[in-house]
Amino acid sequence: MNTTLETTANPLPEELAFLGERLTAFNDADVGASERKVLAVFVRDDDGAVVAGISGYTAWGWLYVQWLWVDERLRGQHMAGRMLDAAEQEAMARGCQSAWIDTFNPNAAKVYQRQGYQTFGELADFPIGRSRIFLQKKLSPA
């Protein structure tokens, strides 16, 4: 088989989908079906505009919080904690036993730690001058 190596900043969506499908099939055969399912939590103002939110997914019994954002006007009001609580409750309803999140913002890391998340790893200088902090939490019903 002849092959060529291509590097691109503009992959076709169908090529990315193909990679995802192939990796999913491999992982399913290797460790079992992930049962990956999107999970989002939104906070809306009186006009219905999103003013805070979480986006992530559940898979293999874990909740992964990929994005967490709170509008500046709502910061300091425990909105992140309320959204994490909601996401964790949904994750447990889906059968998850643990959660993880990462950040390079030291203030966000403190918020997550107050929610019961514990640091399990760090990448120094990601981005330069900061550390990317990885945190996890064992989920248990309240």
Side-chain angles (χ1 to χ4, degrees):
M1 173 192 318
N2 292 326
T3 61
T4 59
L5 184 66
E6 174 189 352
T7 302
T8 180
N10 300 303
L12 297 174
E14 57 268 21
E15 291 173 328
L16 293 176
F18 175 79
L19 288 179
E21 292 165 6
R22 296 287 63 82
L23 183 57
T24 297
F26 175 85
N27 286 338
D28 287 354
D30 187 36
V31 297
S34 70
E35 299 180 18
R36 181 178 170 142
K37 187 174 182 182
V38 172
L39 192 152
V41 176
F42 296 109
V43 177
R44 298 181 187 274
D45 67 11
D46 291 336
D47 297 323
V50 174
V51 293
I54 285 177
S55 174
Y57 59 85
T58 56
W60 288 299
W62 282 78
L63 164 64
Y64 171 52
V65 177
Q66 183 175 18
W67 295 335
L68 187 154
W69 170 78
V70 177
D71 185 279
E72 285 184 33
R73 297 168 293 175
L74 294 176
R75 292 180 189 161
Q77 299 178 30
H78 307 287
M79 193 59 64
R82 290 171 52 200
M83 291 188 304
L84 283 168
D85 285 342
E88 292 165 8
Q89 289 299 317
E90 175 61 22
M92 285 186 289
R94 295 179 185 187
C96 293
Q97 77 283 346
S98 300
W100 73 284
I101 191 168
D102 62 275
T103 184
F104 51 77
N105 182 303
N107 293 326
K110 289 176 187 172
V111 168
Y112 306 150
Q113 289 165 341
R114 282 195 298 270
Q115 285 296 120
Y117 286 76
Q118 297 178 333
T119 300
F120 69 89
E122 290 188 33
L123 290 174
D125 286 326
F126 186 71
I128 300 296
R130 294 268 183 105
S131 289
R132 187 159 210 153
I133 304 163
F134 296 84
L135 303 104
Q136 66 181 348
K137 178 180 180 179
K138 192 78 169 159
L139 300 179
S140 59

